[in-house]
Amino acid sequence: MQHDVIIACDFASAEDTFRFLDRFSTESKKPFLKIGMELFYAEGPDIVREIKRRGHRIFLDLKLHDIPNTVRKAMAVLSHLDVDMCNVHAAGTVEMMRAAREGLTRPDGTRPLLIAVTQLTSTSEERMQRELLIGASMNETIVQYARNTREAGLDGVVCSPLEAGMVHEACGADFLTVTPGVRFADGEVADQVRVTTPARAREIGSDFIVVGRPITAADDPVAAYRRCVEEFLLTATDR
Ligand code: C5P
């Protein structure tokens, strides 16, 4: 099973992004990057092509959630961008996720990894129940959304690292867990709620951790990235 740290490039412009990426130019391994809504809406598909040209793997995090036909067509457009991973909201239903997979699959049968967001890591169980009227517990909701995702033929889910173990239990070891909500033990939590450290995320079963501000807002982002890789990829069990 492949494991890696994905840096969330939550920047407002290509200029800010490349200023950040230039710091990594001497790294032997090009970091896996996540491009989200902010950067994609600001710069369009060209930013994806340019980052790909620089040799990075890309998780295009646009979290599609619409009627199945619209999602199928949007994914067909995204299939032309040579990204490695993209995603939808599992709340869009199994039918929508199936449509997403169909749209993303190229004529030769290949496609990027496709995963689904279960519940955002900024959502607490209390808000999910009170505002969204989801009566089940957070854990039951995550497992049900993950099962739906697997039924639709997707490759895995986005969830909190705290939920990675139970998702693997319900959906199998090969079903990917991509987990934001990662913080250093001595770092700030900000707006994230269901968080843990890189080492603990690995122990619980995360396949990929998505880390934004602990790296992008660090005084030395390269050192923060290296620390993250070290803690995630070289956990106590591997040493
Ligand atoms: O800065 P931080 O480490 O909190 O960034 C986490 C990234 O992961 C952000 O880009 C956010 O949009 C994304 N994300 C998340 N929770 C999810 C899905 C995606 O935090 N459930």
Side-chain angles (χ1 to χ4, degrees), residues 8 10 34 61 63 117 119-122 158 180-183 191-192 210-214:
D10 292 327
K34 179 173 89 70
D61 177 26
K63 300 188 181 73
V117 176
Q119 283 289 337
L120 295 171
T121 45
S122 53
V158 184
V182 172
R183 291 293 179 263
D191 57 347
Q192 295 283 16
V210 177
V211 187
R213 289 161 290 181

mmCIF file of all heavy atoms in Angstrom, residues 8 10 34 61 63 117 119-122 158 180-183 191-192 210-214, ligand 1:
data_model
loop_
_atom_site.group_PDB
_atom_site.id
_atom_site.type_symbol
_atom_site.label_atom_id
_atom_site.label_comp_id
_atom_site.label_asym_id
_atom_site.label_seq_id
_atom_site.Cartn_x
_atom_site.Cartn_y
_atom_site.Cartn_z
ATOM 1 N N ALA A 8 -1.464 20.690 0.964
ATOM 2 C CA ALA A 8 -2.609 21.470 0.452
ATOM 3 C C ALA A 8 -2.121 22.854 0.054
ATOM 4 O O ALA A 8 -1.781 23.675 0.907
ATOM 5 C CB ALA A 8 -3.683 21.576 1.534
ATOM 6 N N ASP A 10 -3.198 25.816 -0.599
ATOM 7 C CA ASP A 10 -4.335 26.732 -0.512
ATOM 8 C C ASP A 10 -3.851 28.173 -0.666
ATOM 9 O O ASP A 10 -3.841 28.953 0.295
ATOM 10 C CB ASP A 10 -5.072 26.521 0.823
ATOM 11 C CG ASP A 10 -5.753 25.164 0.866
ATOM 12 O OD1 ASP A 10 -6.209 24.682 -0.184
ATOM 13 O OD2 ASP A 10 -5.815 24.566 1.952
ATOM 14 N N LYS A 34 -1.942 19.119 -3.308
ATOM 15 C CA LYS A 34 -3.394 19.234 -3.471
ATOM 16 C C LYS A 34 -3.723 20.638 -3.966
ATOM 17 O O LYS A 34 -3.292 21.632 -3.373
ATOM 18 C CB LYS A 34 -4.109 18.991 -2.146
ATOM 19 C CG LYS A 34 -5.622 19.122 -2.266
ATOM 20 C CD LYS A 34 -6.301 18.703 -0.985
ATOM 21 C CE LYS A 34 -6.479 19.825 0.000
ATOM 22 N NZ LYS A 34 -7.471 20.840 -0.410
ATOM 23 N N ASP A 61 -8.737 18.848 -5.717
ATOM 24 C CA ASP A 61 -9.751 18.751 -4.654
ATOM 25 C C ASP A 61 -10.891 19.744 -4.916
ATOM 26 O O ASP A 61 -10.933 20.813 -4.325
ATOM 27 C CB ASP A 61 -9.048 19.051 -3.320
ATOM 28 C CG ASP A 61 -9.989 19.054 -2.130
ATOM 29 O OD1 ASP A 61 -11.028 18.376 -2.187
ATOM 30 O OD2 ASP A 61 -9.665 19.728 -1.129
ATOM 31 N N LYS A 63 -14.235 18.670 -4.927
ATOM 32 C CA LYS A 63 -15.401 18.205 -4.146
ATOM 33 C C LYS A 63 -16.718 18.410 -4.895
ATOM 34 O O LYS A 63 -17.621 19.102 -4.410
ATOM 35 C CB LYS A 63 -15.478 18.940 -2.804
ATOM 36 C CG LYS A 63 -14.278 18.757 -1.889
ATOM 37 C CD LYS A 63 -14.558 19.373 -0.519
ATOM 38 C CE LYS A 63 -13.409 19.246 0.432
ATOM 39 N NZ LYS A 63 -12.272 20.112 0.141
ATOM 40 N N VAL A 117 -15.628 12.659 -0.255
ATOM 41 C CA VAL A 117 -15.606 13.272 1.076
ATOM 42 C C VAL A 117 -16.745 12.654 1.886
ATOM 43 O O VAL A 117 -17.893 12.602 1.413
ATOM 44 C CB VAL A 117 -15.824 14.799 0.979
ATOM 45 C CG1 VAL A 117 -15.904 15.425 2.369
ATOM 46 C CG2 VAL A 117 -14.738 15.448 0.149
ATOM 47 N N GLN A 119 -17.625 13.226 5.845
ATOM 48 C CA GLN A 119 -18.023 14.482 6.505
ATOM 49 C C GLN A 119 -16.782 15.334 6.636
ATOM 50 O O GLN A 119 -15.731 14.827 7.032
ATOM 51 C CB GLN A 119 -18.615 14.218 7.891
ATOM 52 C CG GLN A 119 -20.037 13.701 7.886
ATOM 53 C CD GLN A 119 -21.049 14.764 7.484
ATOM 54 O OE1 GLN A 119 -20.820 15.963 7.596
ATOM 55 N NE2 GLN A 119 -22.194 14.309 6.999
ATOM 56 N N LEU A 120 -16.884 16.608 6.326
ATOM 57 C CA LEU A 120 -15.726 17.498 6.417
ATOM 58 C C LEU A 120 -15.132 17.430 7.824
ATOM 59 O O LEU A 120 -15.878 17.341 8.812
ATOM 60 C CB LEU A 120 -16.127 18.935 6.086
ATOM 61 C CG LEU A 120 -16.601 19.163 4.656
ATOM 62 C CD1 LEU A 120 -17.172 20.563 4.503
ATOM 63 C CD2 LEU A 120 -15.479 18.938 3.658
ATOM 64 N N THR A 121 -13.825 17.523 7.899
ATOM 65 C CA THR A 121 -13.173 17.419 9.216
ATOM 66 C C THR A 121 -13.410 18.666 10.071
ATOM 67 O O THR A 121 -13.052 18.685 11.239
ATOM 68 C CB THR A 121 -11.663 17.172 9.056
ATOM 69 O OG1 THR A 121 -11.162 18.059 8.058
ATOM 70 C CG2 THR A 121 -11.374 15.752 8.647
ATOM 71 N N SER A 122 -14.011 19.690 9.499
ATOM 72 C CA SER A 122 -14.377 20.876 10.287
ATOM 73 C C SER A 122 -15.764 20.731 10.924
ATOM 74 O O SER A 122 -16.179 21.574 11.711
ATOM 75 C CB SER A 122 -14.359 22.115 9.380
ATOM 76 O OG SER A 122 -15.172 21.881 8.247
ATOM 77 N N VAL A 158 -12.258 10.631 1.722
ATOM 78 C CA VAL A 158 -11.616 11.641 2.541
ATOM 79 C C VAL A 158 -12.324 11.596 3.889
ATOM 80 O O VAL A 158 -13.552 11.643 3.940
ATOM 81 C CB VAL A 158 -11.799 13.066 1.951
ATOM 82 C CG1 VAL A 158 -11.019 14.078 2.780
ATOM 83 C CG2 VAL A 158 -11.381 13.120 0.505
ATOM 84 N N PRO A 180 -7.281 14.819 5.827
ATOM 85 C CA PRO A 180 -6.872 16.134 6.329
ATOM 86 C C PRO A 180 -7.099 16.153 7.846
ATOM 87 O O PRO A 180 -7.399 15.113 8.438
ATOM 88 C CB PRO A 180 -7.815 17.106 5.633
ATOM 89 C CG PRO A 180 -8.761 16.278 4.832
ATOM 90 C CD PRO A 180 -8.610 14.857 5.240
ATOM 91 N N GLY A 181 -6.970 17.313 8.466
ATOM 92 C CA GLY A 181 -7.165 17.363 9.913
ATOM 93 C C GLY A 181 -5.925 16.847 10.617
ATOM 94 O O GLY A 181 -6.004 16.153 11.635
ATOM 95 N N VAL A 182 -4.761 17.172 10.065
ATOM 96 C CA VAL A 182 -3.505 16.718 10.675
ATOM 97 C C VAL A 182 -2.771 17.928 11.256
ATOM 98 O O VAL A 182 -2.659 18.971 10.611
ATOM 99 C CB VAL A 182 -2.621 16.018 9.619
ATOM 100 C CG1 VAL A 182 -1.242 15.713 10.183
ATOM 101 C CG2 VAL A 182 -3.303 14.740 9.144
ATOM 102 N N ARG A 183 -2.317 17.774 12.478
ATOM 103 C CA ARG A 183 -1.605 18.860 13.158
ATOM 104 C C ARG A 183 -0.406 18.285 13.911
ATOM 105 O O ARG A 183 -0.487 17.175 14.438
ATOM 106 C CB ARG A 183 -2.538 19.560 14.170
ATOM 107 C CG ARG A 183 -3.676 20.353 13.512
ATOM 108 C CD ARG A 183 -3.137 21.535 12.739
ATOM 109 N NE ARG A 183 -4.155 22.339 12.069
ATOM 110 C CZ ARG A 183 -4.502 22.215 10.790
ATOM 111 N NH1 ARG A 183 -3.948 21.286 10.023
ATOM 112 N NH2 ARG A 183 -5.390 23.021 10.255
ATOM 113 N N ASP A 191 -9.393 26.030 12.418
ATOM 114 C CA ASP A 191 -10.815 25.687 12.322
ATOM 115 C C ASP A 191 -11.074 24.185 12.229
ATOM 116 O O ASP A 191 -12.219 23.758 12.125
ATOM 117 C CB ASP A 191 -11.448 26.397 11.113
ATOM 118 C CG ASP A 191 -10.730 26.060 9.803
ATOM 119 O OD1 ASP A 191 -9.615 25.480 9.856
ATOM 120 O OD2 ASP A 191 -11.273 26.370 8.745
ATOM 121 N N GLN A 192 -10.030 23.364 12.236
ATOM 122 C CA GLN A 192 -10.251 21.923 12.154
ATOM 123 C C GLN A 192 -10.752 21.404 13.504
ATOM 124 O O GLN A 192 -10.407 21.952 14.556
ATOM 125 C CB GLN A 192 -8.948 21.203 11.776
ATOM 126 C CG GLN A 192 -8.440 21.554 10.377
ATOM 127 C CD GLN A 192 -9.214 20.843 9.270
ATOM 128 O OE1 GLN A 192 -10.306 20.328 9.501
ATOM 129 N NE2 GLN A 192 -8.662 20.846 8.076
ATOM 130 N N VAL A 210 -3.291 14.873 4.239
ATOM 131 C CA VAL A 210 -3.329 16.154 3.534
ATOM 132 C C VAL A 210 -3.026 17.239 4.559
ATOM 133 O O VAL A 210 -3.769 17.403 5.529
ATOM 134 C CB VAL A 210 -4.722 16.405 2.915
ATOM 135 C CG1 VAL A 210 -4.767 17.778 2.248
ATOM 136 C CG2 VAL A 210 -5.074 15.315 1.920
ATOM 137 N N VAL A 211 -1.928 17.943 4.356
ATOM 138 C CA VAL A 211 -1.499 18.925 5.354
ATOM 139 C C VAL A 211 -1.361 20.292 4.698
ATOM 140 O O VAL A 211 -0.623 20.442 3.721
ATOM 141 C CB VAL A 211 -0.148 18.500 5.980
ATOM 142 C CG1 VAL A 211 0.213 19.432 7.129
ATOM 143 C CG2 VAL A 211 -0.201 17.062 6.459
ATOM 144 N N GLY A 212 -2.089 21.264 5.225
ATOM 145 C CA GLY A 212 -2.026 22.621 4.687
ATOM 146 C C GLY A 212 -1.220 23.539 5.563
ATOM 147 O O GLY A 212 0.019 23.554 5.518
ATOM 148 N N ARG A 213 -1.928 24.311 6.395
ATOM 149 C CA ARG A 213 -1.283 25.373 7.165
ATOM 150 C C ARG A 213 -0.082 24.963 8.016
ATOM 151 O O ARG A 213 0.861 25.757 8.119
ATOM 152 C CB ARG A 213 -2.351 26.109 7.995
ATOM 153 C CG ARG A 213 -3.265 26.943 7.099
ATOM 154 C CD ARG A 213 -4.567 27.297 7.754
ATOM 155 N NE ARG A 213 -5.424 26.121 7.915
ATOM 156 C CZ ARG A 213 -6.642 26.141 8.439
ATOM 157 N NH1 ARG A 213 -7.153 27.286 8.863
ATOM 158 N NH2 ARG A 213 -7.349 25.040 8.523
ATOM 159 N N PRO A 214 -0.060 23.754 8.604
ATOM 160 C CA PRO A 214 1.156 23.404 9.364
ATOM 161 C C PRO A 214 2.422 23.453 8.492
ATOM 162 O O PRO A 214 3.521 23.625 9.009
ATOM 163 C CB PRO A 214 0.868 21.975 9.849
ATOM 164 C CG PRO A 214 -0.618 21.904 9.924
ATOM 165 C CD PRO A 214 -1.119 22.733 8.761
HETATM 166 O O1 C5P B 1 -4.629 23.950 6.533
HETATM 167 P P1 C5P B 1 -5.202 22.581 6.762
HETATM 168 O O2 C5P B 1 -4.152 21.544 7.119
HETATM 169 O O3 C5P B 1 -6.367 22.595 7.733
HETATM 170 O O4 C5P B 1 -5.767 22.164 5.322
HETATM 171 C C1 C5P B 1 -6.553 21.028 5.133
HETATM 172 C C2 C5P B 1 -6.972 20.950 3.683
HETATM 173 O O5 C5P B 1 -7.790 19.805 3.506
HETATM 174 C C3 C5P B 1 -7.784 22.137 3.199
HETATM 175 O O6 C5P B 1 -7.397 22.374 1.844
HETATM 176 C C4 C5P B 1 -9.230 21.668 3.253
HETATM 177 O O7 C5P B 1 -10.025 22.238 2.244
HETATM 178 C C5 C5P B 1 -9.076 20.168 2.995
HETATM 179 N N1 C5P B 1 -10.126 19.313 3.533
HETATM 180 C C6 C5P B 1 -10.424 19.252 4.872
HETATM 181 N N2 C5P B 1 -11.404 18.404 5.334
HETATM 182 C C7 C5P B 1 -12.057 17.620 4.486
HETATM 183 C C8 C5P B 1 -11.765 17.670 3.116
HETATM 184 C C9 C5P B 1 -10.776 18.522 2.680
HETATM 185 O O8 C5P B 1 -9.802 19.947 5.655
HETATM 186 N N3 C5P B 1 -12.950 16.752 4.956
#
